[in-house]
């Protein structure tokens, strides 16, 4: 199980002006419910789980190298079977 939490202010930093574009543009199962579960057993979920897996491997490449983890061991890390994501927008001030 991998849990990743992102917290964004109402605006993105100047160096990353489109910080929410990736998540905000993802297909959601229900526009009224911000939570979507993508399963690797369906085509959309497979694309998403593999994209996130590849990004995480890329993000941790330096750490893998520093820990002397072999490319064989890295290749054996399985992508997630499911991804739960939630995207919502809040107009006005953020809740306290």
């Amino acid at each position: 199980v991998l849990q990743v939490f992102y917290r964004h202010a109402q605006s993105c930093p100047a160096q990353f002006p489109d910080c929410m574009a990736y998540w905000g543009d993802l297909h959601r199962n229900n526009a009224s419910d911000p939570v979507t579960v993508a399963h690797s057993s369906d085509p959309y979920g497979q694309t998403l789980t593999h994209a996130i897996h590849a990004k995480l491997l890329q993000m941790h490449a330096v750490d893998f190298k520093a820990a002397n983890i072999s490319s064989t061991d890295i290749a054996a890390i399985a992508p997630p079977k499911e991804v739960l994501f939630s995207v919502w927008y809040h107009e006005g001030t953020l809740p306290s």
Side-chain angles (χ1 to χ4, degrees):
V1 173
L2 170 69
Q3 291 183 325
V4 180
F5 297 90
Y6 291 93
R7 182 182 184 283
H8 290 276
Q10 288 183 322
S11 60
C12 294
Q15 66 270 35
F16 301 110
D18 298 321
C19 65
M20 284 299 293
Y22 178 80
W23 295 104
D25 291 342
L26 288 177
H27 165 77
R28 292 187 289 278
N29 291 337
N30 180 341
S32 300
D33 183 356
V35 175
T36 294
V37 178
H39 303 273
S40 62
S41 58
D42 67 62
Y44 171 73
Q46 185 178 41
T47 299
L48 183 59
T49 56
H50 283 270
I52 291 171
H53 180 66
K55 179 66 174 176
L56 287 170
L57 292 179
Q58 177 187 13
M59 287 173 57
H60 295 289
V62 172
D63 298 321
F64 291 145
K65 186 175 182 176
N68 202 27
I69 299 174
S70 73
S71 58
T72 302
D73 287 341
I74 295 168
I77 300 171
K81 293 181 181 179
E82 296 177 328
V83 172
L84 180 142
F85 67 93
S86 179
V87 177
W88 66 94
Y89 300 96
H90 187 276
E91 297 295 327
T93 60
L94 292 173
S96 55

